[in-house]
């Protein structure tokens, strides 16, 4: 399988075949979801299965947005993820910059306190977080879903990425700016921050996706349907007898997944590079 | 910045200037890190202390009881067959996931590393589920894995009578593992691909002169050269696998029976369905200790293998 200088022609064909077969479990579910979401109920479980719908229908899409407050969920997910992303970029770049550049007493200890968050998955502390939110009257509000990812354990990776990036910036740029009379905030805001676009991009992608996909926290903190986020909403498509409304659910899922997939296709390089950094997490 | 410094000698003024700049710099430093540090203290460290304290108390919200019971919750846990089965489910899940995930990730990375024309398209395919939410991905797989769903439909066309995947202990476990693997294997694949591209070509050229076959090259050159990444990826994947929750909740609800009732799902059930907060906290502490040990192991190994990091 390793490179050889004179590859046989058939071995190339085998490799392509192998890759095509391996693509199936990655691509087919999404394709199947989209196609099934246009099938009428009766066709969903037909044997043998139909790949393309025999009868195309958009009824599942109508049902998805009329039977449940789907657009509320969409709006909630979008605004929460946006707020979390903007906030995380701001706080993690400030802290990352200070930890990389500014020498102040106790910096190492404080950095260690922040890093500790990497060892503590939010599942561990979900009970006290819930009790804390309850004590502050924040249960069934969006506050926990905004504040926890922005300032809690999930933001540690962002701080870490930003710090690593600022460490790699040549310090001469900042020294020149300082001699020109710029204060520390000016140096950060006018020099360092604009230069960190690639790191900010990585942080933005990781953070947005994490918030967009959050499930345990909304499940625990939210109880009013109209306040749900999309992941929590997607599992609400059952009829009054508790039976799954599959095509309606698949329509809702399609509307949730496709926009993100399209963004991914256009900004692949940033996504792959950014998300690969989650590998740093432990 | 002092005005009087200007009248003194230049070196003196620069020094004063620097001293005051530095002092103000401290304050700026504290201000910059304040939100993040406060966030970590209030949202991570205090809750961690709280979860340990809660775990030492008998706390049932419905009965509104809260009293200190020492290690009672832990002795109860140790004797709870549900806890045993959830530890077992987590072990099986983690072992299955890591084996399958790491093998597949490495295989795909080797395939992509052949650099045939058009491989970037395949890289996109393999990576795409990473950006799909786990709930959405689980919903789709749940649909396909129904007794009369797509997968059994296609199997029937081949004359195979497929099982009721999610209602049958072993196949349900396989299903939740497979769903997670195809969702996230792209990440590990990218890490492996980067490592593979860092292996010096001369080694392979030398091996070819020695007439070493592809498998031999893979075993004697590739694997040793990427072993740091291999170790890192394995540990990260183990830690990630312990936090599994969403697809269990969507696909199996921990069932059938307790077959897929992994630790976090067990914690969720005890805490938020049965409202036993003290007991759930003890489960949280157990989870924390496991993750902590694995993380320390990871840092230890990183120190040993990777030189350019912190």
């Amino acid at each position: 399988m390793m490179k050889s200088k004179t590859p046989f022609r058939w071995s190339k064909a085998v490799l392509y075949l192998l890759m095509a077969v391996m693509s199936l479990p990655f691509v087919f579910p999404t394709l199947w979801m989209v196609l099934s979401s246009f099938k009428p109920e009766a066709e969903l479980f037909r044997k043998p299965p139909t790949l393309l719908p025999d009868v195309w229908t958009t009824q599942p899409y109508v049902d998805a947005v009329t039977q449940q407050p789907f657009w509320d969920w969409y709006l909630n997910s979008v605004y929460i993820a946006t707020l979390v992303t903007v906030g995380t970029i701001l706080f993690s770049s400030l802290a990352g910059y200070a930890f990389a550049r500014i020498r102040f007493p106790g910096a190492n200890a404080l950095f260690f306190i922040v890093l500790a968050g990497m060892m503590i998955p939010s599942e561990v502390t979900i009970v006290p977080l819930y009790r804390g939110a309850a004590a502050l009257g924040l249960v069934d509000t969006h506050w926990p879903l905004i504040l926890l990812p922005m300032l809690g354990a999930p933001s540690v990776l962002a701080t870490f990425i930003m710090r690593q990036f600022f460490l790699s910036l040549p310090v001469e740029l900042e020294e020149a700016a300082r001699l020109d009379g710029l204060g520390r905030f000016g140096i950060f805001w006018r020099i360092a921050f604009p230069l960190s676009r690639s790191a900010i991009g990585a942080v933005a992608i990781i953070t947005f996706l994490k918030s967009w996909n959050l499930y345990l926290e909304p499940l625990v903190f939210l109880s009013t349907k109209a306040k749900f986020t999309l992941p929590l909403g997607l599992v609400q498509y059952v009829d009054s007898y508790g039976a799954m409304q599959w095509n309606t659910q698949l329509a809702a899922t399609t509307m949730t997944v496709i926009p993100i997939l399209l963004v991914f296709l256009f900004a692949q390089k940033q996504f792959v590079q950014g998300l690969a950094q989650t590998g740093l997490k432990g | 910045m002092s005005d009087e410094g200007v009248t003194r000698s230049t070196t003196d003024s620069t020094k004063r200037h620097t001293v005051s700049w530095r002092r103000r710099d401290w304050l700026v430093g504290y201000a910059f890190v304040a939100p993040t540090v406060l966030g970590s203290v209030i949202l991570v460290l205090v809750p961690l202390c709280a979860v340990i304290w809660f775990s030492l108390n008998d706390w049932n919200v419905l009965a509104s009881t809260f009293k200190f019971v020492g290690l009672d919750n832990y002795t109860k846990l140790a004797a709870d067959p549900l806890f045993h089965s959830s530890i077992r489910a987590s072990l099986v899940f983690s072992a299955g996931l890591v084996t399958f995930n790491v093998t597949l990730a490495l295989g795909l990375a080797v395939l992509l590393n052949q650099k045939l024309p058009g491989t970037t398209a395949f890289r996109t395919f393999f990576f795409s589920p990473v950006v799909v939410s786990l709930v959405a991905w689980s919903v789709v797989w749940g649909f396909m894995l129904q007794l009369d769903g797509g997968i059994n439909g296609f199997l029937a066309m081949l004359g195979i009578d497929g099982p009721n995947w999610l209602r049958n202990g072993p196949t349900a476990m396989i299903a939740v593992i497979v769903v997670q693997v195809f969702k996230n294997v792209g990440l590990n694949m990218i890490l492996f691909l980067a490592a593979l591209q860092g292996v010096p070509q001369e080694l392979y050229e030398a091996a070819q002169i020695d007439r070493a076959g592809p498998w031999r090259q893979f075993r004697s050159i590739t694997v040793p050269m990427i072993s740091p990444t291999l170790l890192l990826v394995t540990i990260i994947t183990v830690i990630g696998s312990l936090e599994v929750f969403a697809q269990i909740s969507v696909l199996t609800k921990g069932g059938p029976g307790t077959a897929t009732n992994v630790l976090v799902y067990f914690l969720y059930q005890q805490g938020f369905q049965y409202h036993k907060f003290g007991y759930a906290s003890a489960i949280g502490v157990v989870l924390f200790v496991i993750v902590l040990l694995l993380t320390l192991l990871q840092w230890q190994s990183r120190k040993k293998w990777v030189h350019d990091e912190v």
Side-chain angles (χ1 to χ4, degrees):
Chain A
M1 296 253 270
M2 285 290 114
K3 288 159 223 344
S4 61
K5 281 268 155 82
T6 52
F8 301 109
R9 211 169 274 165
W10 62 264
S11 74
K12 257 192 184 177
V14 168
L15 288 178
Y16 276 117
L17 187 70
L18 207 55
M19 284 196 285
V21 171
M22 283 318 301
S23 303
L24 272 181
F26 295 90
V27 178
F28 186 75
T30 309
L31 194 70
W32 188 243
M33 164 189 78
V34 176
L35 291 173
S36 300
S37 70
F38 288 105
K39 289 177 188 172
E41 188 91 47
E43 200 184 326
L44 279 180
F45 295 108
R46 187 185 292 175
K47 277 186 179 177
T50 51
L51 189 59
L52 290 175
D54 261 352
V55 183
W56 289 78
T57 171
T58 50
Q59 192 59 37
Y61 286 85
V62 178
D63 291 346
V65 300
T66 51
Q67 291 179 358
Q68 300 283 356
F70 182 77
W71 296 123
D72 287 343
W73 300 339
Y74 223 104
L75 187 69
N76 293 340
S77 275
V78 169
Y79 105 83
I80 290 173
T82 308
L83 268 184
V84 168
T85 306
V86 172
T88 303
I89 290 173
L90 184 69
F91 294 134
S92 70
S93 60
L94 279 170
Y97 178 84
F99 284 130
R101 275 289 189 270
I102 305 176
R103 297 187 183 284
F104 53 96
N108 282 338
L110 293 178
F111 186 57
F112 187 78
I113 288 178
V114 173
L115 268 191
M118 278 210 194
M119 286 183 272
I120 305 162
S122 27
E123 292 84 359
V124 167
T125 50
I126 191 77
V127 171
L129 288 174
Y130 176 81
R131 290 309 298 174
L136 297 170
L138 298 179
V139 167
D140 205 25
T141 72
H142 290 149
W143 284 106
L145 307 183
I146 295 167
L147 293 177
L148 281 177
M150 196 157 79
L151 292 164
S155 71
V156 176
L157 180 66
T159 306
F160 189 73
I161 291 174
M162 293 310 294
R163 171 180 171 272
Q164 295 301 93
F165 178 83
F166 287 124
L167 280 175
S168 73
L169 267 189
V171 74
E172 290 77 19
L173 286 172
E174 294 172 39
E175 272 163 4
R178 186 176 140 185
L179 292 178
D180 285 347
L182 223 50
R184 190 51 103 167
F185 186 78
I187 294 175
F188 166 75
W189 186 243
R190 298 227 208 120
I191 313 264
F193 189 76
L195 283 172
S196 61
R197 215 169 285 159
S198 64
I200 292 172
V203 167
I205 287 169
I206 296 169
T207 311
F208 190 92
L209 281 180
K210 202 177 265 171
S211 167
W212 185 260
N213 297 339
L214 213 58
Y215 183 66
L216 177 63
E217 286 80 356
L219 182 65
V220 165
F221 286 114
L222 301 180
S223 52
T224 308
K225 233 179 196 180
K227 292 180 184 166
F228 284 4
T229 54
L230 280 170
L232 198 50
L234 290 182
V235 294
Q236 307 298 320
Y237 287 97
V238 285
D239 65 21
S240 42
Y241 301 102
M244 298 297 305
Q245 299 169 295
W246 285 109
N247 51 359
T248 315
Q249 188 186 30
L250 292 169
T253 311
T254 302
M255 289 189 277
T256 308
V257 165
I258 296 301
I260 301 278
L261 270 180
L262 287 179
V263 177
F264 162 66
L265 288 182
F266 284 112
Q268 252 190 82
K269 211 175 142 206
Q270 286 74 11
F271 269 76
V272 172
Q273 282 172 353
L275 286 165
Q277 302 214 33
T278 48
L280 293 169
K281 185 192 168 228
Chain B
M1 277 161 272
S2 53
D3 286 329
E4 50 183 340
V6 181
T7 56
R8 305 193 179 180
S9 73
T10 29
T11 45
D12 201 21
S13 111
T14 326
K15 200 186 275 168
R16 263 173 159 269
H17 179 91
T18 320
V19 166
S20 81
W21 206 89
R22 186 175 300 154
R23 190 154 309 146
R24 286 219 328 206
D25 212 25
W26 286 6
L27 290 179
V28 176
Y30 290 123
F32 275 24
V33 301
T36 300
V37 171
L38 284 178
S40 291
V41 171
I42 296 170
L43 299 174
V44 181
L45 294 181
V46 169
L48 181 67
C49 297
V51 82
I52 295 171
W53 168 242
F54 290 174
S55 78
L56 302 175
N57 286 277
D58 182 26
W59 183 7
N60 190 317
V61 183
L62 294 183
S64 65
T65 49
F66 188 93
K67 72 169 196 286
F68 185 78
V69 291
L71 295 174
D72 255 20
N73 282 322
Y74 293 96
T75 43
K76 255 194 261 169
L77 262 187
D80 188 344
L82 281 176
F83 178 64
H84 297 167
S85 63
S86 90
I87 289 278
R88 198 170 52 234
S90 275
L91 272 179
V92 173
F93 181 85
S94 295
L97 181 92
V98 171
T99 315
F100 189 22
N101 187 326
V102 172
T103 317
L104 185 63
L106 186 54
L108 293 176
V110 168
L111 267 179
L112 291 180
N113 199 34
Q114 304 305 305
K115 300 199 188 79
L116 297 173
T119 34
T120 44
F122 288 105
R123 193 189 70 174
T124 310
F125 292 159
F126 300 146
F127 195 83
S128 62
V130 172
V131 305
V132 174
S133 88
L134 189 50
V135 170
W137 187 248
S138 304
V139 163
V140 178
W141 277 86
F143 170 63
M144 297 195 305
L145 288 166
Q146 293 301 300
L147 180 59
D148 44 5
I151 289 181
N152 282 350
F154 286 112
L155 285 178
M157 289 165 79
L158 303 171
I160 302 169
D161 203 11
N164 194 351
W165 298 94
L166 299 174
R167 294 278 172 277
N168 183 315
T171 55
M173 181 55 94
I174 293 172
V176 289
I177 291 173
V178 165
V179 167
Q180 168 109 346
V181 167
F182 288 126
K183 161 90 176 68
N184 274 340
V185 74
L187 274 178
N188 288 347
M189 175 191 81
I190 294 293
L191 294 177
F192 279 135
L193 195 54
L196 287 175
Q197 283 162 358
V199 180
Q201 277 308 305
E202 299 83 58
L203 293 177
Y204 294 116
E205 281 156 21
Q208 265 156 26
I209 295 170
D210 292 344
R211 299 186 171 279
W215 175 244
R216 184 61 211 258
Q217 288 182 31
F218 178 75
R219 234 183 27 176
S220 306
I221 301 172
T222 313
V223 172
M225 287 304 285
I226 64 163
S227 60
T229 310
L230 200 59
L231 193 67
L232 184 74
V233 163
T234 305
I235 298 176
I236 294 168
T237 311
V238 176
I239 295 175
S241 73
L242 289 169
E243 297 165 16
V244 54
F245 176 76
Q247 80 267 40
I248 303 285
S249 168
V250 173
L251 291 174
T252 64
K253 303 256 179 257
T258 54
T260 58
N261 196 340
V262 294
L263 269 179
V264 176
Y265 199 79
F266 184 52
L267 189 161
Y268 169 76
Q269 272 187 334
Q270 296 298 321
F272 295 97
Q273 291 181 339
Y274 307 142
H275 304 280
K276 294 191 218 162
F277 279 175
Y279 202 51
S281 296
I283 304 167
V285 173
V286 171
L287 181 66
F288 168 66
V289 171
I290 300 173
V291 171
L292 181 70
L293 290 176
L294 286 168
T295 310
L296 292 178
L297 185 70
Q298 177 196 349
W299 284 12
Q300 206 56 37
S301 60
R302 196 187 273 181
K303 225 181 273 169
K304 199 165 157 192
W305 292 107
V306 185
H307 307 291
D308 56 358
E309 278 195 74
V310 218

